């Protein structure tokens, strides 16, 4: 049995009260004003975090900032409760959305005593709320998904980059360690120097200093810049772009509007059947009236043409 059919069946067998609650809460959470309100609260939370970095503002508006923080937490709590209630007829669908799990974790952690007593952890947790803006900005959400998908490829890039840095650092220590101990006096200094050169930071000074030691240093720096700054960086860009395309496809496949249409399919089917039954009853009444007028008996309902299969009246 397909998964979406199983979800539809679960929604259909849910108690009527839970279905009504889910429909009512979905109407709220899917409204544009609701998304804009939550987005505004997230921005207000970010502004509060920025204001708390100024000691003068904290000393003067301490109580007001605390009250605003509690109001933001209350708003986020109401929001996540409404989102959970919107899945009352299909609770499993709530946990299938990673953003729902993230939002719930951020809200629940704020109520933990250990977190509330630790100012640093609490501020980091409040900072995590700013990431929730990706929920309401599709392009930002796609970028974050792309970054997450590119991590396996990025790990391979880091391994190759680390190997390249180590080899060139050892070669630099061998040739320049005695003449330039400030930059190549140890493997650590050499790695740091080459890491900065990977961003082409100070490459001109490094080449001039190397030419004073040996002309072969030009080949050393040219090959390193070619491999590190051009080849590896382009490989990384390719990995990220490929992950971005995959994230766009995934976001389009998981379009919430399609999910809402699929969820509403069973209700639309029942509504259509009820309308067919009502039309059939009206047709029966019309045929009886015509039969009385003509003095003949109406034909059996099963012999009429054009009866929709599966729309027989329930007894």
């Amino acid at each position: 049995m397909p998964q979406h059919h199983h979800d539809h069946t679960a929604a259909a067998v849910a108690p009527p009260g839970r279905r009504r609650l889910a429909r009512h809460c979905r109407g709220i959470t899917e409204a544009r004003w609701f998304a804009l309100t939550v987005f505004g609260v997230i921005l207000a939370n970010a502004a509060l975090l920025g204001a708390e970095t100024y000691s003068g503002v904290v000393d003067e508006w301490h109580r007001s900032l605390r009250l605003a923080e509690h109001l933001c937490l209350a708003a986020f709590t109401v929001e996540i409760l409404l989102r959970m209630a919107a899945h009352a007829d299909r609770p499993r669908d709530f946990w299938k959305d990673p953003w729902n799990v993230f939002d719930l974790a951020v809200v629940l952690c704020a109520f933990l005593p250990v977190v509330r007593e630790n100012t640093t952890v609490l501020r980091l947790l409040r900072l995590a709320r700013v990431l929730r803006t990706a929920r309401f900005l599709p392009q930002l959400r796609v970028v974050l998904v792309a970054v997450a998908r590119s991590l396996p490829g990025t790990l391979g890039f880091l391994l190759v980059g680390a190997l390249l840095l180590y080899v060139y650092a050892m070669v630099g220590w061998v040739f320049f360690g005695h003449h330039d101990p400030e930059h190549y006096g140890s493997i650590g200094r050499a790695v740091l120097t080459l890491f900065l050169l990977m961003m082409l930071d100070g490459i001109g000074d490094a080449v001039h200093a190397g030419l004073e030691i040996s002309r072969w240093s030009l080949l050393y720096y040219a090959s390193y810049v070619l491999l590190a700054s051009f080849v590896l960086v382009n490989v990384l860009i390719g990995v990220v772009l490929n992950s971005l395309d995959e994230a766009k496809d995934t976001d389009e496949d998981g379009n919430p509007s399609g999910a809402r249409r699929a969820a509403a399919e069973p209700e639309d089917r029942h509504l259509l059947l009820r309308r067919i039954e009502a039309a059939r009853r009206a047709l029966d009444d019309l045929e009886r009236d015509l039969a009385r007028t003509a003095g003949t008996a109406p034909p059996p309902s099963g012999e009429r043409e054009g009866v929709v299969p599966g729309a027989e009246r329930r007894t």
Side-chain angles (χ1 to χ4, degrees), residues 109-149:
C109 288
F111 291 97
L112 296 178
V114 178
V115 176
R116 296 185 63 86
E117 294 172 0
N118 193 319
T119 305
T120 303
V121 176
L122 183 60
R123 287 177 177 173
L124 292 177
L125 183 64
R126 291 172 59 192
L127 183 61
R129 298 174 189 168
V130 181
L131 297 177
R132 299 186 59 225
T133 53
R135 186 187 189 109
F136 305 97
L137 300 176
Q139 295 299 326
L140 180 58
R141 184 172 61 246
V142 170
V143 172
L144 291 179
V145 173
V147 171
R149 285 179 173 270

Coordinates of all heavy atoms in Angstrom, one line a residue, residues 109-149:
C109 N 13.5 23.2 24.4 CA 14.7 23.5 25.1 C 14.7 24.7 26.0 O 15.3 24.8 27.0 CB 15.9 23.5 24.2 SG 16.3 21.9 23.4
A110 N 13.9 25.7 25.5 CA 13.8 26.9 26.3 C 13.1 26.7 27.7 O 13.3 27.6 28.6 CB 13.0 28.0 25.5
F111 N 12.4 25.6 27.8 CA 11.7 25.4 29.1 C 12.5 24.4 30.0 O 12.0 24.2 31.1 CB 10.3 24.7 28.8 CG 9.3 25.7 28.2 CD1 9.1 25.7 26.8 CD2 8.6 26.6 28.9 CE1 8.3 26.5 26.2 CE2 7.7 27.5 28.3 CZ 7.5 27.4 27.0
L112 N 13.6 23.9 29.5 CA 14.4 23.0 30.4 C 15.1 23.9 31.4 O 15.7 24.9 31.1 CB 15.4 22.3 29.5 CG 14.9 21.3 28.5 CD1 16.0 20.7 27.7 CD2 14.0 20.3 29.1
P113 N 15.1 23.4 32.7 CA 15.7 24.2 33.8 C 17.2 24.4 33.6 O 17.8 25.5 33.8 CB 15.5 23.3 35.0 CG 14.3 22.5 34.7 CD 14.4 22.2 33.2
V114 N 17.9 23.4 33.0 CA 19.4 23.5 32.8 C 19.7 24.6 31.8 O 20.6 25.4 31.9 CB 20.0 22.2 32.3 CG1 21.4 22.3 32.1 CG2 19.7 21.1 33.4
V115 N 18.8 24.7 30.8 CA 19.1 25.7 29.7 C 18.7 27.1 30.2 O 19.4 28.1 30.0 CB 18.2 25.4 28.5 CG1 18.4 26.5 27.4 CG2 18.7 24.0 27.9
R116 N 17.6 27.2 31.0 CA 17.2 28.5 31.5 C 18.2 29.1 32.5 O 18.3 30.3 32.6 CB 15.8 28.4 32.1 CG 14.7 28.0 31.1 CD 13.3 28.1 31.7 NE 13.0 29.4 32.2 CZ 12.5 30.3 31.4 NH1 12.2 30.0 30.1 NH2 12.2 31.5 31.8
E117 N 18.9 28.2 33.2 CA 19.9 28.7 34.2 C 21.2 29.1 33.6 O 22.0 29.8 34.2 CB 20.1 27.7 35.3 CG 18.8 27.4 36.1 CD 19.0 26.2 37.0 OE1 20.1 25.6 37.0 OE2 18.0 25.9 37.7
N118 N 21.5 28.6 32.3 CA 22.7 28.9 31.7 C 22.5 30.0 30.7 O 21.8 29.8 29.6 CB 23.2 27.7 31.0 CG 24.7 27.8 30.5 OD1 25.1 28.9 30.0 ND2 25.5 26.8 30.7
T119 N 23.0 31.2 30.9 CA 22.8 32.4 30.1 C 23.4 32.2 28.7 O 22.7 32.5 27.7 CB 23.4 33.6 30.7 OG1 22.9 33.8 32.0 CG2 23.0 34.9 29.9
T120 N 24.6 31.6 28.6 CA 25.2 31.4 27.3 C 24.4 30.5 26.4 O 24.2 30.8 25.3 CB 26.6 30.9 27.5 OG1 27.4 31.8 28.3 CG2 27.3 30.7 26.2
V121 N 24.0 29.3 27.0 CA 23.2 28.3 26.2 C 21.9 28.9 25.8 O 21.4 28.7 24.7 CB 23.0 27.1 27.0 CG1 22.2 26.1 26.3 CG2 24.4 26.4 27.3
L122 N 21.3 29.7 26.7 CA 20.0 30.3 26.4 C 20.1 31.3 25.2 O 19.2 31.4 24.4 CB 19.4 31.0 27.6 CG 18.0 31.6 27.5 CD1 17.0 30.5 27.1 CD2 17.6 32.3 28.8
R123 N 21.2 32.1 25.2 CA 21.4 33.0 24.1 C 21.6 32.3 22.8 O 21.1 32.7 21.8 CB 22.5 34.0 24.5 CG 22.1 35.0 25.5 CD 23.3 35.9 25.9 NE 22.9 36.9 26.9 CZ 23.8 37.7 27.5 NH1 25.1 37.6 27.2 NH2 23.4 38.6 28.3
L124 N 22.4 31.2 22.9 CA 22.6 30.4 21.7 C 21.3 29.8 21.1 O 21.1 29.7 19.9 CB 23.6 29.3 21.9 CG 25.1 29.8 22.2 CD1 26.0 28.6 22.5 CD2 25.6 30.6 21.0
L125 N 20.5 29.4 22.1 CA 19.2 28.8 21.7 C 18.3 29.9 21.1 O 17.6 29.7 20.1 CB 18.5 28.2 22.9 CG 17.2 27.6 22.7 CD1 17.3 26.3 21.8 CD2 16.5 27.1 24.0
R126 N 18.3 31.1 21.6 CA 17.5 32.2 21.0 C 18.1 32.6 19.7 O 17.3 32.9 18.8 CB 17.6 33.4 22.0 CG 16.8 33.2 23.3 CD 17.0 34.3 24.2 NE 16.6 35.6 23.6 CZ 16.9 36.8 24.1 NH1 17.6 36.9 25.3 NH2 16.5 37.9 23.5
L127 N 19.4 32.4 19.5 CA 20.0 32.7 18.2 C 19.5 31.7 17.2 O 19.4 32.0 16.0 CB 21.5 32.7 18.3 CG 22.3 33.0 17.1 CD1 22.0 34.4 16.6 CD2 23.8 32.9 17.3
A128 N 19.3 30.4 17.6 CA 18.9 29.4 16.7 C 17.5 29.7 16.1 O 17.1 29.2 15.1 CB 18.8 28.0 17.4
R129 N 16.7 30.5 16.9 CA 15.4 30.9 16.4 C 15.5 31.7 15.1 O 14.6 31.7 14.3 CB 14.6 31.6 17.4 CG 14.3 30.9 18.7 CD 13.7 31.8 19.7 NE 13.6 31.2 21.1 CZ 13.3 31.8 22.2 NH1 13.0 33.1 22.1 NH2 13.2 31.2 23.3
V130 N 16.6 32.4 15.0 CA 16.7 33.2 13.8 C 16.8 32.4 12.5 O 16.3 32.8 11.4 CB 18.0 34.1 13.9 CG1 18.2 35.0 12.6 CG2 17.9 35.0 15.1
L131 N 17.3 31.1 12.7 CA 17.4 30.2 11.5 C 16.0 29.8 11.0 O 15.9 29.3 9.9 CB 18.2 29.0 11.9 CG 19.7 29.2 12.3 CD1 20.3 27.9 12.7 CD2 20.4 29.8 11.1
R132 N 15.0 30.0 11.9 CA 13.7 29.6 11.4 C 13.1 30.5 10.3 O 12.1 30.2 9.8 CB 12.7 29.7 12.7 CG 13.1 28.8 13.8 CD 12.1 28.7 14.9 NE 10.8 28.3 14.4 CZ 9.7 28.9 14.6 NH1 9.6 30.0 15.4 NH2 8.5 28.4 14.1
T133 N 13.8 31.6 10.0 CA 13.4 32.4 8.9 C 13.4 31.6 7.6 O 12.7 32.0 6.7 CB 14.3 33.7 8.8 OG1 15.7 33.3 8.7 CG2 14.1 34.6 10.0
A134 N 14.3 30.6 7.6 CA 14.3 29.8 6.3 C 13.0 29.1 6.1 O 12.7 28.7 4.9 CB 15.5 28.8 6.5
R135 N 12.2 28.9 7.1 CA 10.9 28.2 6.9 C 10.0 29.1 6.0 O 9.2 28.5 5.3 CB 10.3 27.9 8.2 CG 9.0 27.1 8.1 CD 8.3 27.0 9.5 NE 7.2 26.0 9.4 CZ 7.2 24.8 9.9 NH1 8.2 24.4 10.6 NH2 6.2 24.0 9.8
F136 N 10.1 30.4 6.2 CA 9.2 31.3 5.5 C 9.9 31.9 4.2 O 9.2 32.7 3.5 CB 8.8 32.4 6.4 CG 8.2 31.9 7.7 CD1 9.0 31.7 8.8 CD2 6.9 31.5 7.7 CE1 8.4 31.3 10.0 CE2 6.3 31.0 8.9 CZ 7.1 30.9 10.0
L137 N 11.1 31.6 3.9 CA 11.8 32.1 2.8 C 12.3 30.9 1.9 O 13.3 30.2 2.3 CB 13.0 32.9 3.1 CG 12.7 34.2 4.0 CD1 14.0 34.9 4.4 CD2 11.8 35.1 3.2
P138 N 11.5 30.5 0.9 CA 11.9 29.3 0.2 C 13.3 29.2 -0.4 O 13.9 28.2 -0.4 CB 10.8 29.3 -1.0 CG 9.7 30.1 -0.5 CD 10.3 31.2 0.4
Q139 N 13.8 30.4 -0.9 CA 15.1 30.4 -1.5 C 16.2 30.1 -0.4 O 17.1 29.4 -0.7 CB 15.4 31.7 -2.2 CG 14.5 32.0 -3.4 CD 14.6 31.0 -4.5 OE1 15.7 30.5 -4.7 NE2 13.5 30.7 -5.2
L140 N 16.0 30.7 0.7 CA 16.9 30.4 1.8 C 16.9 29.0 2.3 O 17.9 28.4 2.6 CB 16.7 31.4 3.0 CG 17.6 31.3 4.2 CD1 19.0 31.5 3.8 CD2 17.2 32.3 5.3
R141 N 15.7 28.4 2.3 CA 15.5 27.0 2.7 C 16.2 26.1 1.7 O 16.9 25.2 2.1 CB 14.0 26.7 2.7 CG 13.8 25.3 3.2 CD 12.3 25.0 3.4 NE 11.5 25.2 2.2 CZ 10.6 26.1 2.0 NH1 10.4 27.0 3.0 NH2 9.9 26.2 0.9
V142 N 16.1 26.4 0.4 CA 16.8 25.6 -0.6 C 18.3 25.7 -0.4 O 19.0 24.7 -0.5 CB 16.4 26.1 -2.0 CG1 17.3 25.5 -3.1 CG2 15.0 25.8 -2.3
V143 N 18.9 26.9 -0.1 CA 20.3 27.1 0.1 C 20.8 26.2 1.3 O 21.8 25.6 1.2 CB 20.7 28.5 0.2 CG1 22.1 28.7 0.6 CG2 20.4 29.3 -1.1
L144 N 20.0 26.3 2.4 CA 20.4 25.5 3.6 C 20.4 24.0 3.3 O 21.3 23.3 3.7 CB 19.5 25.9 4.7 CG 19.6 27.3 5.3 CD1 18.6 27.5 6.4 CD2 21.0 27.5 5.8
V145 N 19.4 23.6 2.6 CA 19.3 22.2 2.2 C 20.5 21.8 1.3 O 21.1 20.7 1.5 CB 18.0 21.8 1.5 CG1 17.9 20.4 1.0 CG2 16.8 22.0 2.5
A146 N 20.8 22.7 0.4 CA 22.0 22.4 -0.5 C 23.3 22.3 0.3 O 24.1 21.5 0.0 CB 22.1 23.5 -1.5
V147 N 23.4 23.2 1.3 CA 24.7 23.1 2.1 C 24.7 21.8 2.9 O 25.8 21.2 3.0 CB 24.7 24.3 3.1 CG1 25.8 24.2 4.1 CG2 24.9 25.6 2.3
A148 N 23.6 21.4 3.4 CA 23.5 20.1 4.1 C 23.8 18.9 3.2 O 24.6 18.0 3.6 CB 22.2 19.9 4.8
R149 N 23.3 19.0 2.0 CA 23.5 17.9 1.0 C 25.0 17.9 0.5 O 25.5 16.8 0.1 CB 22.6 18.0 -0.2 CG 21.2 17.6 0.1 CD 20.3 17.8 -1.1 NE 19.0 17.2 -0.8 CZ 18.6 16.0 -1.1 NH1 19.5 15.1 -1.6 NH2 17.4 15.5 -0.8

